[in-house]
Amino acid sequence: MYSRILLAAVAVVVVVANAFLGPVSSQQTDCERSCGDIDIPFPFGLEEGCYHSKDQLVTCNRSSAGDPILFLNKSPIVIKNMVPADSTIRVMGDVAHDCNDNSPDQDIRNKAWLSLKNFWISDDNSFFAIGCQTDAYVIGRKKKDQVITGCVTTCDDNSSSGNTNGSCSGNGCCEMTFQKGLGYSKVMVSRNNTIPLKSCSHAFVVEKGGYNFLSTDLADFGKEEMPMLLVWAIGDKTCKEVDKGADDFLCKGDHQGCVEDYDGPGYRCHCKEGYAGNPYIKDNCANIDECKVGTHNCTEKQKCVDKEGDFACIGNELPIVQISIGTSVAGLFLLLLFTWIYLGLKRRKNLILREKFFKQNGGIMLQQRISGDGGSQIQAKLFTVEELEKATNNYDQSKIIGKGGFGTVYKGVLPDDIIVAIKKSKIVDQTQTQVDQFINEVIILSRINHRNVVKLIGCCLETEVPSLVYEFIPNGTLFDHLHGVSKYKAINWDIRLRIAIETAGALSYLHSAASVPIIHRDVKPMNILIDSSYVEKVADFGASRLIPMDQKELATMVQGTLGYLDPEYFHTSQLTEKSDVYSFGVVLVELLTGKKIIDFDRPEKERNLIKHFIAFLEKETLLEVLDEHLQLKEVPHDIILVSRLAQRCLHLKGDERPTMKEVALELEGISASMIDKHPWVKNTSNEEATEYLPNEPSESCEVTDDSNTGPTDFYSIIRKPKITPI
């Protein structure tokens, strides 16, 4: 870390000298192209005229071991190698540490900074956190969105016992893969200060295969840098946007071109198949002699003959002319045969493919579930591919109304002019867990008949990605109204109380009145839809579970949203109806305050809104934390009662929380009792302090139900830019 600071000082002269240098359209022929034993290929360079733009300036630090240093926005990075054919650079990234030793440099050590421009973290990297009771984050940016990704670890004690070498499932070590196109500015690591631990915690980005966890690393990690892979592009225009005739366009040559399937920002060059070289240098992609390098597939009885951009395998027993004639005749015969049978095969292929997707997407499982309960409760319609394509104009991008972790939602119009929302799942690895989750949502929604639960109309299983068809709710989500653009047209307290009552009633119905009890498992404002009359609809049952009548709890892989996730469920994996009660208590706090539950933009003591809210409630200074858009001068009695109800819902122990039925009845009672009473009553009671989850992660996080992860799992948040009201 300190060596980086010294290198940055050395870099000042270089930065100033090149401050006024613009893009270089062509490279000089007498440029130095190495630093020590590291090659520095174009578009990078060591001096003016040898690089494409100042973003590709490399400075060779000859005063030390000779490692080349790449300055990105004035940040020094040690380069290990550069591969222009893949648009990649292998560099050394800092390791962030947290030792809870209160040393003067601790605040510097627990962050690893790196500013990137036209460089991104390759998805061939992994993010690791090592230590006990450790929270680790990568804070970065993807296009215009800030992205926070990370994982958490736990340990039973401070020893290495129970930790398995090579395993990063959450016990002493956790691992997370990267999505494409992610740039980042810093790595952060922190620990649970309430637990006395002697060892340190560490977090870093490393190239896949570059690190294998050892249990001894918990006591002595000893590394300050790890190899990581960056990818880069030229400029800020894609292949479709750039002027390919411009002098500074680099992908020029008969055997090289622009990577069309790369969607930017910027563009990348590549050599065409059968050619190799530096695609960023004009006419540098040369023919590969597959016969010499041994990359052909000719047999021992055949002779490999190199061709421009290709090769041919020639049999020794036949002359080349005979082979050509025979190939032509056979090709003509196959063409005629294919034309003759094409129409029949096309229809059969489509039928087979649809049947394959139907089985792959759980169609057989759905039929078995329907026959298992007589089909009397499942009324969903099975739509054809053509019906949904027509409803969405072939899934036109303008029809998109929302995107989530498991798919995209389109607005569609059925033939009878009914407007619907069509949820099209993402193309992911087809695992039994994902199929079960999709069929689970169909079955659960088919069993529900409640005005405050989104209605399932049907589904389509005939395509590679299955789709669900819901009733269309036009007014967005509760999250949008509390935190989005519409928050400046703030909903008043009467509407908020009604939304709380309706949500509690819907959850009470799921727990108590449904034919089989249903636990939602992901109650949060983003899953509460609002219609044009501000009537709420509970949605997104992909994570929900049916509870057998003879059971009160169910052991599951932990899934939900951190910040809203029941701490008792998080630590025991025992899912109960009280898990939804905790999540609903968090929603009540959000309705009262109008603030996000966890927000990095707030001061550190206020980042966790739950603890902040409870503290103000118990000090009888509730007015200071309530939503300013409610325009209150005093705290009304009904708001005090709702706040106290939220406090009881947020008990650490599920047994101490009320049931959803009790919550719903109490909210209705609060609403009814205030009709004939004066609304401004100061609260003088001081209920007993309640125990709350300490040290929750400092940002709301999605915890995915993945069979390849441990009980702590991984989480990812995309935080949208702030919107200033007009």
Side-chain angles (χ1 to χ4, degrees):
M1 179 69 71
Y2 300 108
S3 62
R4 291 297 176 88
I5 298 175
L6 295 175
L7 289 173
V10 176
V12 171
V13 177
V14 177
V15 172
V16 173
N18 291 277
F20 301 99
L21 297 179
V24 179
S25 60
S26 61
Q27 59 166 333
Q28 298 177 358
T29 57
D30 57 348
C31 294
E32 184 179 6
R33 287 293 169 198
S34 65
C35 177
D37 57 355
I38 306 296
D39 293 331
I40 311 296
F42 188 79
F44 297 88
L46 296 165
E47 54 188 330
E48 181 180 358
C50 297
Y51 51 81
H52 175 66
S53 73
K54 60 184 179 182
D55 290 330
Q56 284 90 35
L57 171 62
V58 178
T59 300
C60 187
N61 182 23
R62 303 186 187 282
S63 62
S64 62
D67 291 330
I69 307 299
L70 174 62
F71 289 92
L72 308 176
N73 296 338
K74 303 180 182 180
S75 297
I77 304 176
V78 176
I79 302 172
K80 304 310 292 183
N81 75 337
M82 314 174 80
V83 184
D86 297 333
S87 299
T88 60
I89 300 181
R90 184 172 285 101
V91 302
M92 299 301 293
D94 285 336
V95 176
H97 308 284
D98 187 354
C99 295
N100 281 349
D101 54 7
N102 297 320
S103 60
D105 63 341
Q106 179 58 54
D107 189 52
I108 298 177
R109 293 166 60 203
N110 70 359
K111 300 179 181 67
W113 297 82
L114 180 63
S115 298
L116 300 173
K117 179 181 179 183
N118 295 333
F119 292 80
W120 300 269
I121 299 175
S122 170
D123 55 349
D124 286 328
N125 291 294
S126 295
F127 177 71
F128 282 90
I130 304 171
C132 293
Q133 319 304 338
T134 298
D135 296 347
Y137 310 91
V138 177
I139 303 177
R141 186 164 296 277
K142 185 173 183 181
K143 295 185 178 178
K144 294 183 179 180
D145 295 330
Q146 186 177 11
V147 180
I148 302 175
T149 59
C151 62
V152 299
T153 69
T154 59
C155 287
D156 294 333
D157 52 41
N158 195 28
S159 68
S160 61
S161 62
N163 304 113
T164 305
N165 290 344
S167 173
C168 276
S169 59
N171 186 17
C173 174
C174 65
E175 178 183 3
M176 182 203 71
T177 58
F178 278 94
Q179 54 182 302
K180 290 184 178 179
L182 181 64
Y184 87 103
S185 58
K186 62 181 176 180
V187 171
M188 298 181 62
V189 60
S190 62
R191 312 178 71 194
N192 186 336
N193 293 326
T194 64
I195 301 176
L197 298 172
K198 298 180 180 179
S199 60
C200 296
S201 294
H202 319 276
F204 52 87
V205 179
V206 64
E207 185 178 2
K208 287 183 178 178
Y211 173 70
N212 188 43
F213 173 68
L214 298 175
S215 58
T216 54
D217 289 344
L218 288 171
D220 182 18
F221 182 62
K223 295 183 177 65
E224 295 296 330
E225 295 180 325
M226 296 295 284
M228 60 184 294
L229 205 61
L230 301 180
V231 294
W232 48 270
I234 302 297
D236 57 4
K237 295 182 179 180
T238 65
C239 294
K240 296 179 181 178
E241 299 168 341
V242 73
D243 180 5
K244 297 181 181 179
D247 291 340
D248 61 350
F249 178 67
L250 299 184
C251 310
K252 293 181 179 179
D254 294 336
H255 308 306
Q256 55 212 75
C258 204
V259 182
E260 297 291 342
D261 59 353
Y262 172 67
D263 59 359
Y267 67 88
R268 295 175 183 168
C269 304
H270 72 106
C271 292
K272 295 180 180 178
E273 187 175 0
Y275 297 88
N278 187 337
Y280 294 91
I281 301 176
K282 184 178 180 181
D283 296 323
N284 191 259
C285 293
N287 173 61
I288 300 173
D289 190 340
E290 292 86 355
C291 300
K292 286 186 178 180
V293 299
T295 57
H296 61 84
N297 57 1
C298 300
T299 65
E300 294 181 357
K301 295 182 179 180
Q302 294 175 318
K303 180 181 179 182
C304 178
V305 177
D306 183 56
K307 299 166 60 178
E308 186 67 19
D310 202 355
F311 66 93
C313 299
I314 307 300
N316 294 330
E317 67 279 2
L318 293 175
I320 296 178
V321 175
Q322 290 178 329
I323 293 175
S324 300
I325 294 174
T327 302
S328 300
V329 172
L332 180 60
F333 174 76
L334 290 175
L335 180 61
L336 293 174
L337 179 62
F338 178 78
T339 303
W340 181 61
I341 64 175
Y342 173 73
L343 294 177
L345 286 179
K346 183 178 180 180
R347 179 176 176 82
R348 178 175 176 80
K349 181 179 179 181
N350 286 337
L351 291 174
I352 293 174
L353 193 59
R354 288 191 182 190
E355 182 179 356
K356 172 189 173 184
F357 289 144
F358 182 80
K359 294 179 180 178
Q360 178 178 294
N361 292 327
I364 302 299
M365 184 189 308
L366 181 59
Q367 289 176 335
Q368 291 173 346
R369 296 286 291 273
I370 292 174
S371 61
D373 60 14
S376 58
Q377 297 180 358
I378 300 179
Q379 305 297 327
K381 176 183 176 181
L382 287 175
F383 288 90
T384 65
V385 176
E386 292 78 12
E387 286 176 321
L388 296 192
E389 288 179 345
K390 184 177 180 181
T392 59
N393 193 19
N394 289 322
Y395 293 100
D396 189 272
Q397 294 293 308
S398 64
K399 300 290 185 180
I400 295 177
I401 57 176
K403 292 185 177 181
F406 292 99
T408 303
V409 181
Y410 295 82
K411 181 180 180 181
V413 182
L414 298 180
D416 50 4
D417 292 331
I418 296 178
I419 300 176
V420 295
I422 300 173
K423 178 182 176 182
K424 186 177 183 181
S425 301
K426 288 183 178 179
I427 298 179
V428 293
D429 296 335
Q430 292 293 331
T431 66
Q432 189 61 43
T433 298
Q434 291 157 348
V435 172
D436 289 347
Q437 182 165 322
F438 176 77
I439 297 302
N440 184 64
E441 186 165 1
V442 174
I443 297 298
I444 288 177
L445 289 178
S446 297
R447 294 175 180 267
I448 297 174
N449 182 20
H450 194 278
R451 69 185 296 268
N452 296 120
V453 176
V454 66
K455 181 180 179 182
L456 176 70
I457 298 176
C459 62
C460 177
L461 306 177
E462 294 181 350
T463 56
E464 184 176 4
V465 286
S467 301
L468 290 173
V469 182
Y470 300 95
E471 64 174 318
F472 178 69
I473 310 299
N475 206 13
T477 68
L478 178 59
F479 183 90
D480 298 329
H481 287 272
L482 292 177
H483 310 303
V485 176
S486 60
K487 73 179 181 181
Y488 297 105
K489 302 176 182 177
I491 53 179
N492 60 36
W493 171 243
D494 289 340
I495 294 177
R496 298 188 194 198
L497 180 57
R498 191 180 72 188
I499 290 173
I501 292 171
E502 291 175 346
T503 303
L507 294 174
S508 175
Y509 167 83
L510 296 176
H511 291 183
S512 307
S515 58
V516 177
I518 299 166
I519 299 178
H520 188 282
R521 200 161 60 150
D522 199 15
V523 178
K524 59 184 177 182
M526 284 177 286
N527 290 338
I528 299 175
L529 306 181
I530 308 295
D531 71 7
S532 56
S533 301
Y534 288 95
V535 174
E536 70 83 34
K537 302 274 187 176
V538 177
D540 199 344
F541 288 79
S544 303
R545 287 293 179 268
L546 301 174
I547 303 299
M549 298 298 290
D550 59 345
Q551 294 186 26
K552 292 184 178 180
E553 61 184 27
L554 185 68
T556 70
M557 181 70 73
V558 175
Q559 180 173 347
T561 304
L562 287 179
Y564 301 90
L565 188 63
D566 173 13
E568 185 175 61
Y569 169 44
F570 180 81
H571 289 291
T572 66
S573 298
Q574 297 298 316
L575 180 67
T576 70
E577 296 173 352
K578 297 297 184 70
S579 300
D580 281 351
V581 175
Y582 182 89
S583 302
F584 179 76
V586 180
V587 173
L588 282 180
V589 173
E590 219 160 334
L591 283 167
L592 288 162
T593 64
K595 299 179 179 64
K596 294 180 180 178
I597 291 303
I598 298 175
D599 192 343
F600 273 121
D601 293 334
R602 296 196 294 259
E604 184 173 356
K605 293 183 179 180
E606 301 178 14
R607 287 179 183 171
N608 189 320
L609 183 61
I610 296 299
K611 294 189 289 187
H612 188 56
F613 174 82
I614 296 301
F616 276 88
L617 177 62
E618 294 178 346
K619 290 188 297 184
E620 299 186 8
T621 55
L622 189 61
L623 185 63
E624 297 181 29
V625 77
L626 293 179
D627 191 350
E628 61 184 12
H629 293 98
L630 296 177
Q631 298 181 344
L632 301 175
K633 295 182 179 180
E634 293 181 339
V635 183
H637 189 57
D638 56 341
I639 288 183
I640 295 175
L641 294 176
V642 173
S643 300
R644 292 297 181 184
L645 176 59
Q647 183 182 32
R648 297 202 305 277
C649 292
L650 294 169
H651 273 282
L652 245 184
K653 297 181 179 180
D655 291 341
E656 298 177 2
R657 302 171 198 155
T659 65
M660 278 311 310
K661 186 174 183 179
E662 292 169 341
V663 172
L665 290 173
E666 185 166 342
L667 285 172
E668 290 175 356
I670 292 171
S671 177
S673 66
M674 298 311 296
I675 294 178
D676 298 323
K677 290 185 179 180
H678 195 283
W680 310 103
V681 179
K682 183 177 180 181
N683 177 48
T684 58
S685 64
N686 185 16
E687 294 185 6
E688 249 181 41
T690 313
E691 189 179 13
Y692 299 93
L693 176 66
N695 296 299
E696 289 190 76
S698 55
E699 182 64 284
S700 91
C701 333
E702 283 294 330
V703 181
T704 59
D705 190 357
D706 191 332
S707 58
N708 294 324
T709 62
T712 52
D713 296 313
F714 310 126
Y715 44 90
S716 175
I717 317 98
I718 297 181
R719 186 163 63 208
K720 300 295 182 183
K722 291 184 178 179
I723 302 175
T724 304
I726 297 176

